[in-house]
Amino acid sequence: AQKITQTQPGMFVQEKEAVTLDCTYDTSDQSYGLFWYKQPSSGEMIFLIYQGSYDEQNATEGRYSLNFQKARKSANLVISASQLGDSAMYFCAMREAITQGGSEKLVFGKGTKLTVNP
Amino acid sequence: DTGVSQNPRHKITKRGQNVTFRCDPISEHNRLYWYRQTLGQGPEFLTYFQNEAQLEKSRLLSDRFSAERPKGSFSTLEIQRTEQGDSAMYLCASSLGGRTGKRNSPLHFGNGTRLTVT
């Protein structure tokens, strides 16, 4: 079963509008972390925002915020006031808790391609 | 800004040849990861090191693949007897982890090495 599901292969948004990119995850752990990365066409992976499973408030970083719904196991990224430079692939990733034999790796979804139209 | 550095940026090789990639992490980071990314997919975990110890290897890492981090600083990823299916972007990332780092430490990625096997 996929750990991270991003159901939107592509999304379009008008410049200056807000957009939500969906991410659902699957884990039986109570302690985990969720990350969003941006990958422009140049290829580098850029860390955007982090949400811990025990964080009571939704994470925010500038124009990026996370709509974290723990019961639904969703961690949607909201980009406000979209800019042309936001056009890129966006990946959701999860790090599960370290249990006996647990792992520190990030598991990534397949990504959503965001296009910002002028 | 001394980020994660990967060399070479591009590598074209003929099937059956061996290739080696190098990754220099952020200097204070104790964890180093290798991922592989194919077109239209998210990064797939290959292996990671904490200092010089290789703590986890994915089943994707066949016996033709070997990674080392001999002094706990830079790392090399070698692919022997390359196959066309090995063509991908190979991403290296580093982070602070374990006792020396926070659980929410993001991975910082390099620009990757694009391998083309002809």
Side-chain angles (χ1 to χ4, degrees), chain A residues 99-111:
Chain A
T99 55
Q100 287 187 351
S103 172
E104 279 290 327
K105 66 178 182 283
L106 290 191
V107 177
F108 286 84
K110 292 188 175 183

PDB file of all heavy atoms in Angstrom, chain A residues 99-111:
ATOM      1  N   THR A  99      10.930   3.337  15.711  1.00  0.00           N
ATOM      2  CA  THR A  99      10.609   2.279  16.664  1.00  0.00           C
ATOM      3  C   THR A  99      11.710   1.242  16.526  1.00  0.00           C
ATOM      4  O   THR A  99      12.678   1.460  15.814  1.00  0.00           O
ATOM      5  CB  THR A  99       9.238   1.652  16.350  1.00  0.00           C
ATOM      6  OG1 THR A  99       9.243   1.213  14.998  1.00  0.00           O
ATOM      7  CG2 THR A  99       8.147   2.682  16.524  1.00  0.00           C
ATOM      8  N   GLN A 100      11.591   0.134  17.164  1.00  0.00           N
ATOM      9  CA  GLN A 100      12.626  -0.875  16.999  1.00  0.00           C
ATOM     10  C   GLN A 100      12.687  -1.283  15.537  1.00  0.00           C
ATOM     11  O   GLN A 100      11.720  -1.765  14.973  1.00  0.00           O
ATOM     12  CB  GLN A 100      12.327  -2.088  17.863  1.00  0.00           C
ATOM     13  CG  GLN A 100      12.573  -1.821  19.342  1.00  0.00           C
ATOM     14  CD  GLN A 100      12.440  -3.071  20.163  1.00  0.00           C
ATOM     15  OE1 GLN A 100      12.011  -4.093  19.655  1.00  0.00           O
ATOM     16  NE2 GLN A 100      12.814  -3.001  21.419  1.00  0.00           N
ATOM     17  N   GLY A 101      13.809  -1.016  14.950  1.00  0.00           N
ATOM     18  CA  GLY A 101      13.962  -1.332  13.533  1.00  0.00           C
ATOM     19  C   GLY A 101      13.342  -0.290  12.627  1.00  0.00           C
ATOM     20  O   GLY A 101      13.263  -0.484  11.418  1.00  0.00           O
ATOM     21  N   GLY A 102      12.868   0.814  13.197  1.00  0.00           N
ATOM     22  CA  GLY A 102      12.254   1.850  12.378  1.00  0.00           C
ATOM     23  C   GLY A 102      13.265   2.596  11.538  1.00  0.00           C
ATOM     24  O   GLY A 102      14.463   2.418  11.655  1.00  0.00           O
ATOM     25  N   SER A 103      12.784   3.466  10.723  1.00  0.00           N
ATOM     26  CA  SER A 103      13.624   4.098   9.716  1.00  0.00           C
ATOM     27  C   SER A 103      13.569   5.602   9.827  1.00  0.00           C
ATOM     28  O   SER A 103      12.574   6.169  10.246  1.00  0.00           O
ATOM     29  CB  SER A 103      13.157   3.672   8.329  1.00  0.00           C
ATOM     30  OG  SER A 103      13.829   4.394   7.344  1.00  0.00           O
ATOM     31  N   GLU A 104      14.635   6.250   9.408  1.00  0.00           N
ATOM     32  CA  GLU A 104      14.696   7.691   9.356  1.00  0.00           C
ATOM     33  C   GLU A 104      14.466   8.227   7.963  1.00  0.00           C
ATOM     34  O   GLU A 104      14.594   9.403   7.736  1.00  0.00           O
ATOM     35  CB  GLU A 104      16.066   8.163   9.860  1.00  0.00           C
ATOM     36  CG  GLU A 104      16.184   8.211  11.366  1.00  0.00           C
ATOM     37  CD  GLU A 104      15.334   9.321  11.956  1.00  0.00           C
ATOM     38  OE1 GLU A 104      15.161  10.374  11.320  1.00  0.00           O
ATOM     39  OE2 GLU A 104      14.827   9.123  13.068  1.00  0.00           O
ATOM     40  N   LYS A 105      14.119   7.364   7.031  1.00  0.00           N
ATOM     41  CA  LYS A 105      14.010   7.850   5.671  1.00  0.00           C
ATOM     42  C   LYS A 105      12.705   8.596   5.479  1.00  0.00           C
ATOM     43  O   LYS A 105      11.741   8.429   6.212  1.00  0.00           O
ATOM     44  CB  LYS A 105      14.068   6.686   4.683  1.00  0.00           C
ATOM     45  CG  LYS A 105      12.893   5.721   4.753  1.00  0.00           C
ATOM     46  CD  LYS A 105      13.042   4.653   3.684  1.00  0.00           C
ATOM     47  CE  LYS A 105      11.870   3.689   3.687  1.00  0.00           C
ATOM     48  NZ  LYS A 105      11.956   2.716   4.784  1.00  0.00           N
ATOM     49  N   LEU A 106      12.689   9.462   4.461  1.00  0.00           N
ATOM     50  CA  LEU A 106      11.454  10.091   4.008  1.00  0.00           C
ATOM     51  C   LEU A 106      10.888   9.258   2.870  1.00  0.00           C
ATOM     52  O   LEU A 106      11.619   8.837   1.983  1.00  0.00           O
ATOM     53  CB  LEU A 106      11.709  11.505   3.502  1.00  0.00           C
ATOM     54  CG  LEU A 106      12.078  12.580   4.509  1.00  0.00           C
ATOM     55  CD1 LEU A 106      12.019  13.958   3.853  1.00  0.00           C
ATOM     56  CD2 LEU A 106      11.189  12.540   5.723  1.00  0.00           C
ATOM     57  N   VAL A 107       9.580   9.056   2.911  1.00  0.00           N
ATOM     58  CA  VAL A 107       8.873   8.376   1.833  1.00  0.00           C
ATOM     59  C   VAL A 107       8.061   9.426   1.089  1.00  0.00           C
ATOM     60  O   VAL A 107       7.274  10.152   1.705  1.00  0.00           O
ATOM     61  CB  VAL A 107       7.955   7.267   2.372  1.00  0.00           C
ATOM     62  CG1 VAL A 107       7.171   6.631   1.228  1.00  0.00           C
ATOM     63  CG2 VAL A 107       8.775   6.212   3.112  1.00  0.00           C
ATOM     64  N   PHE A 108       8.246   9.497  -0.216  1.00  0.00           N
ATOM     65  CA  PHE A 108       7.637  10.554  -1.029  1.00  0.00           C
ATOM     66  C   PHE A 108       6.432  10.056  -1.803  1.00  0.00           C
ATOM     67  O   PHE A 108       6.360   8.882  -2.189  1.00  0.00           O
ATOM     68  CB  PHE A 108       8.655  11.093  -2.039  1.00  0.00           C
ATOM     69  CG  PHE A 108       9.714  11.962  -1.426  1.00  0.00           C
ATOM     70  CD1 PHE A 108      10.833  11.401  -0.848  1.00  0.00           C
ATOM     71  CD2 PHE A 108       9.591  13.349  -1.436  1.00  0.00           C
ATOM     72  CE1 PHE A 108      11.825  12.202  -0.270  1.00  0.00           C
ATOM     73  CE2 PHE A 108      10.568  14.155  -0.875  1.00  0.00           C
ATOM     74  CZ  PHE A 108      11.677  13.581  -0.283  1.00  0.00           C
ATOM     75  N   GLY A 109       5.501  10.973  -2.060  1.00  0.00           N
ATOM     76  CA  GLY A 109       4.431  10.716  -2.997  1.00  0.00           C
ATOM     77  C   GLY A 109       4.909  10.935  -4.426  1.00  0.00           C
ATOM     78  O   GLY A 109       6.070  11.270  -4.663  1.00  0.00           O
ATOM     79  N   LYS A 110       3.981  10.763  -5.383  1.00  0.00           N
ATOM     80  CA  LYS A 110       4.346  10.883  -6.791  1.00  0.00           C
ATOM     81  C   LYS A 110       4.348  12.328  -7.287  1.00  0.00           C
ATOM     82  O   LYS A 110       4.806  12.601  -8.387  1.00  0.00           O
ATOM     83  CB  LYS A 110       3.405  10.038  -7.645  1.00  0.00           C
ATOM     84  CG  LYS A 110       3.584   8.550  -7.421  1.00  0.00           C
ATOM     85  CD  LYS A 110       2.784   7.733  -8.416  1.00  0.00           C
ATOM     86  CE  LYS A 110       3.094   6.266  -8.221  1.00  0.00           C
ATOM     87  NZ  LYS A 110       2.383   5.412  -9.213  1.00  0.00           N
ATOM     88  N   GLY A 111       3.820  13.212  -6.476  1.00  0.00           N
ATOM     89  CA  GLY A 111       3.923  14.622  -6.813  1.00  0.00           C
ATOM     90  C   GLY A 111       2.719  15.175  -7.555  1.00  0.00           C
ATOM     91  O   GLY A 111       1.917  14.444  -8.145  1.00  0.00           O
TER      92      GLY A 111
END
